[in-house]
Amino acid sequence: MDWKHSQGERTEDLVSVKLRSSEWLGGDDEWSVASRSCLRSEGFSSEVFKNRPVIGICNTWSELANCNAHLKPIAEAVKRGVWAAGGFPLEFGTMSLGEPLMKPTTMMFRNLLAMDVEETIRANPIDGVVLLTSCDKTTPAAIMGAASVDVPTIVVTGGPQRAGHFRGKPVGSGTDLWKYWDERRSGKMSDKEWSEFENSIVRSGGHCGVMGTASTMSSIVEALGMGLPGCAAIPAVDSARLVLAEESGRRIVQMVKEDLRISKVMTPKAFANAIRVDMAIGGSTNAIIHLVAMAGRLGYHLPLTAFDEFSRTTPVLANIRPNGTFMMEDFFYAGGVQAVMKNLGNLLHLDALAVTGRPIGEPLKQAAVHLPEVIRTRDNPIYPEGGTVALFGNLAPDGAIIKQSAASGILLKHRGRAVVFSSYAEYMARYNDMDLDVRPNDILVLQDTGPKGFPGMPEYGKLPLPLKLIKHGVTDMVRISDARMSGTGFGTVVLHVSPESRVGGPLAVVRTGDQIELDVPRRSLELLISDDELKSRLQAWKPPQQHYTRGYGKLYEERVLQAHEGCDFDFLVDKEKKEMIFSFGPVAEQAAPELAAGGIAPIESPRPAAVQTHTDD
Ligand code: FES
């Protein structure tokens, strides 16, 4: 790969920087002696760290997080690389966040992990850091923490699991679980089949093997230039991942010498590239919250409208579940994120600086699409617009999100009667009731599941459909909430309604029987009642009691920001953030003009072909 030539040999280009670790290890006073003797007690002579960059290896390994449980050998590979390049590696553990086991929701703890990473780096003699992440929230959390300290940083993600197979068909954790769960509920799957399915969906270490949140965040890492080329899609169990980890260990040592800090890589151009790639892979809705939060740690305001602008000019190219047909393993063999970026061509800032120390466009010269059905071209996309779009209206004054590429085209323009549930518990108590007053064209509205409401904004937005409708063959309905949805999920699901109902957003005062209009082509979400009626309902609304009276839960509930602000804590982001200025069309200035040309005309704000008008008055 082209980025390799920037390693090792370029000593004449190295910026001479004072090592941060020398404040701990370089003096002749009693504190330096204490620091050095502590390392000696671990068996390290001072020769192995004297005047060498100390590289922290931040490991989110945990047996409580299956997606991260394979990271130990990856950490060892990173260490090999650090040693080989003349650095001194020190591995440290952080808390981990595993989606399947953690309650009430990992999102509630993303900021805690970010604080753990930030303060561990800040408090210790660390010159540069390698972040080992995998499951959904571990990647943004670790980046947020490192960004706040702004040391040289490289990310090694865990890679996707092997694709599962169930009775001859490929299945992925998440996406196929939701699908087969509806079959199970409608009585189409026997106990034996259901048990066999359980044993089929998760086949190895690594994160979910579809384009869920973890795969999306890994792809974003590569598009931001925060990981080495190819890092997102290499399967977790493939030896190529260990090789990439070793190369990352070598590279971080050089990054310290070059003073290549995270703020020099995660620039507005890098974020523009990340959002483009997010749209082109049909990324998880959760990525929007995480990108806004990561930008906030670097002092930037990233508005939801930017996602919408990029979505209008970026087609979905990756034919991966839940948007498409294939699995992450296929994505790897097709060429991965590098191939997607190559096909995006002049929609990207190819001159953006990456952790390689070189323009991100440079290795794309060697990238290729090996399976054209898996990674499409811009003139033959699987969806003409980017996956996730922002909606605004009197029901979501600060915005809401829908993943249009995983929704039913016929429902993207829909008016229907609201059927309201004031909590997830209420919905779960009633959704199997065959007497529930609900019809196929109704809109299910779930309240009080937002950042403060649940709290932690769980992945409850993709409500399982009412049993009585499933039995009549209904497979999708419009669902609206202030919750999130798993990146592996699908359906016509409006999420992240902001402000949330718990803080008195309009969602809190929707009543069963109201009419709601969703119009995705117009990006609008409206509650069809008069302004006076809405105002009077909001004036009569009373805030509920807080959930927590102590501990981290209390801190979270009191200080978490709303979804459109990235759900970070208000005291961890700059009050005076800089606006990110983007150019939403094809990019003029390029480091690799032959890629920019690409032979393919730029997309001109196409409209989704599948959109049809569908109303129920
Ligand atoms: Fe960890 Fe899906 S459960 S990535």
Side-chain angles (χ1 to χ4, degrees):
M1 296 179 187
D2 250 14
W3 63 268
K4 283 183 184 166
H5 79 259
S6 69
Q7 296 191 86
E9 305 79 43
R10 297 173 61 246
T11 47
E12 72 283 2
D13 295 340
L14 300 183
V15 178
S16 163
V17 288
K18 181 173 182 283
L19 291 177
R20 186 172 175 267
S21 59
S22 66
E23 300 282 340
W24 282 259
L25 306 172
D28 194 29
D29 53 44
E30 74 273 37
W31 298 111
S32 299
V33 168
S35 300
R36 290 195 295 267
S37 65
C38 283
L39 289 173
R40 192 174 184 84
S41 76
E42 292 185 42
F44 297 117
S45 75
S46 60
E47 290 309 306
V48 299
F49 55 80
K50 192 174 175 186
N51 297 326
R52 292 180 184 223
V54 179
I55 304 301
I57 300 172
C58 171
N59 197 345
T60 55
W61 171 90
S62 170
E63 287 180 338
L64 290 170
N66 66 295
C67 308
N68 298 43
H70 65 301
L71 293 179
K72 279 186 172 178
I74 293 179
E76 291 307 314
V78 173
K79 283 182 199 170
R80 275 202 305 278
V82 172
W83 285 119
F88 174 50
L90 286 175
E91 182 182 351
F92 61 94
T94 64
M95 75 179 299
S96 198
L97 310 174
E99 293 294 320
L101 299 183
M102 208 162 190
K103 292 187 190 304
T105 161
T106 51
M107 188 62 190
M108 185 165 154
F109 303 104
R110 184 201 63 182
N111 298 346
L112 185 58
L113 171 53
M115 290 169 79
D116 181 351
V117 171
E118 174 182 344
E119 301 307 338
T120 303
I121 297 170
R122 200 187 293 288
N124 283 288
I126 290 173
D127 298 305
V129 67
V130 181
L131 306 174
L132 302 188
T133 67
S134 195
C135 199
D136 295 11
K137 314 296 182 297
T138 55
T139 301
I143 293 174
M144 287 161 67
S148 291
V149 198
D150 198 19
V151 290
T153 302
I154 195 166
V155 186
V156 178
T157 52
Q161 299 155 4
R162 288 185 58 205
H165 280 84
F166 171 61
R167 302 205 161 186
K169 291 187 191 147
V171 285
S173 43
T175 303
D176 289 285
L177 175 60
W178 320 130
K179 191 176 124 203
Y180 282 100
W181 172 228
D182 280 347
E183 292 205 6
R184 169 71 172 164
R185 288 175 63 219
S186 60
K188 291 185 193 151
M189 274 183 100
S190 67
D191 289 351
K192 185 168 180 303
E193 286 171 320
W194 187 233
S195 161
E196 200 179 309
F197 175 74
E198 179 180 325
N199 297 336
S200 304
I201 47 174
V202 184
R203 305 306 293 262
S204 76
H207 57 69
C208 288
V210 296
M211 194 53 82
T213 304
S215 298
T216 302
M217 293 312 299
S218 300
S219 302
I220 282 174
V221 161
E222 196 171 328
L224 281 168
M226 285 298 298
L228 292 183
C231 89
I234 299 170
V237 295
D238 195 307
S239 58
R241 184 152 293 282
L242 297 176
V243 173
L244 181 130
E246 184 187 301
E247 288 169 344
S248 301
R250 280 206 298 277
R251 180 62 202 143
I252 187 67
V253 176
Q254 298 304 320
M255 286 174 68
V256 170
K257 293 177 181 173
E258 294 163 14
D259 196 29
L260 184 49
R261 294 160 184 266
I262 201 166
S263 59
K264 295 179 185 173
V265 176
M266 288 178 60
T267 59
K269 281 185 180 179
F271 275 94
N273 289 342
I275 299 171
R276 281 280 186 218
V277 168
D278 179 31
M279 295 299 161
I281 59 176
S284 159
T285 45
N286 291 310
I288 294 185
I289 293 180
H290 299 320
L291 277 163
V292 171
M294 292 191 295
R297 291 300 183 100
L298 290 155
Y300 292 111
H301 174 233
L302 179 48
L304 289 190
T305 48
F307 292 91
D308 203 44
E309 293 286 349
F310 281 116
S311 81
R312 287 188 185 275
T313 53
T314 318
V316 178
L317 305 182
N319 188 6
I320 312 294
R321 295 177 199 198
N323 304 285
T325 310
F326 296 96
M327 311 291 288
M328 281 301 287
E329 205 170 325
D330 305 306
F331 187 54
F332 170 60
Y333 294 120
V337 172
Q338 294 291 294
V340 170
M341 291 176 74
K342 180 150 191 157
N343 278 4
L344 284 174
N346 67 354
L347 293 178
L348 297 173
H349 293 273
L350 298 173
D351 58 340
L353 184 65
V355 289
T356 56
R358 306 293 303 164
I360 199 156
E362 203 168 87
L364 299 185
K365 292 172 193 164
Q366 296 174 353
V369 177
H370 303 298
L371 301 171
E373 221 7 72
V374 179
I375 297 174
R376 301 278 191 90
T377 54
R378 279 159 61 183
D379 56 0
N380 180 31
I382 73 157
Y383 201 84
E385 285 192 351
T388 39
V389 300
L391 308 168
F392 294 90
N394 70 351
L395 190 47
D398 290 331
I401 295 296
I402 187 169
K403 189 175 190 174
Q404 59 176 347
S405 54
S408 301
I410 199 167
L411 291 174
L412 290 176
K413 199 168 161 55
H414 180 81
R415 183 188 291 183
R417 179 187 72 137
V419 179
V420 180
F421 300 88
S422 61
S423 69
Y424 188 67
E426 186 200 342
Y427 186 75
M428 295 313 282
R430 297 176 59 198
Y431 82 123
N432 279 335
D433 181 352
M434 297 301 280
D435 293 327
L436 184 66
D437 178 16
V438 64
R439 302 189 289 263
N441 290 324
D442 288 342
I443 293 178
L444 301 176
V445 176
L446 175 66
Q447 298 167 325
D448 212 21
T449 40
K452 290 174 190 277
F454 192 72
M457 208 184 174
E459 293 180 343
Y460 291 164
K462 183 189 175 312
L463 291 168
L465 298 181
L467 185 59
K468 94 182 219 192
L469 298 184
I470 287 209
K471 287 198 179 281
H472 282 93
V474 174
T475 55
D476 195 10
M477 292 175 77
V478 176
R479 288 154 271 181
I480 299 173
S481 73
D482 44 13
R484 294 177 302 114
M485 159 173 99
S486 165
T488 63
F490 51 87
T492 312
V493 185
V494 177
L495 303 154
H496 310 184
V497 169
S498 188
E500 65 171 302
S501 49
R502 175 62 60 136
V503 299
L507 186 69
V509 297
V510 182
R511 294 174 186 164
T512 294
D514 289 343
Q515 289 287 313
I516 293 177
E517 188 168 68
L518 168 69
D519 190 335
V520 177
R522 287 182 49 230
R523 307 295 195 252
S524 74
L525 182 65
E526 297 286 343
L527 177 61
L528 302 179
I529 61 174
S530 70
D531 292 347
D532 287 346
E533 171 66 11
L534 179 57
K535 198 167 157 197
S536 109
R537 286 190 198 179
L538 287 171
Q539 277 168 351
W541 177 83
K542 300 234 174 345
Q545 269 201 326
Q546 270 193 213
H547 296 273
Y548 290 89
T549 56
R550 65 171 297 281
Y552 176 74
K554 185 171 189 311
L555 173 75
Y556 181 90
E557 220 173 332
E558 290 174 355
R559 308 303 292 270
V560 72
L561 295 168
Q562 290 293 287
H564 71 284
E565 301 168 302
C567 295
D568 203 351
F569 288 145
D570 56 5
F571 57 88
L572 293 175
V573 292
D574 281 349
K575 292 259 178 310
E576 304 293 326
K577 285 187 284 200
K578 301 181 280 283
E579 202 68 33
M580 274 196 180
I581 311 291
F582 296 117
S583 134
F584 297 109
V587 179
E589 80 281 16
Q590 294 290 335
E594 68 276 26
L595 282 170
I600 298 164
I603 298 288
E604 301 274 353
S605 297
R607 313 302 312 151
V611 172
Q612 297 172 35
T613 303
H614 184 78
T615 58
D616 173 43
D617 293 324

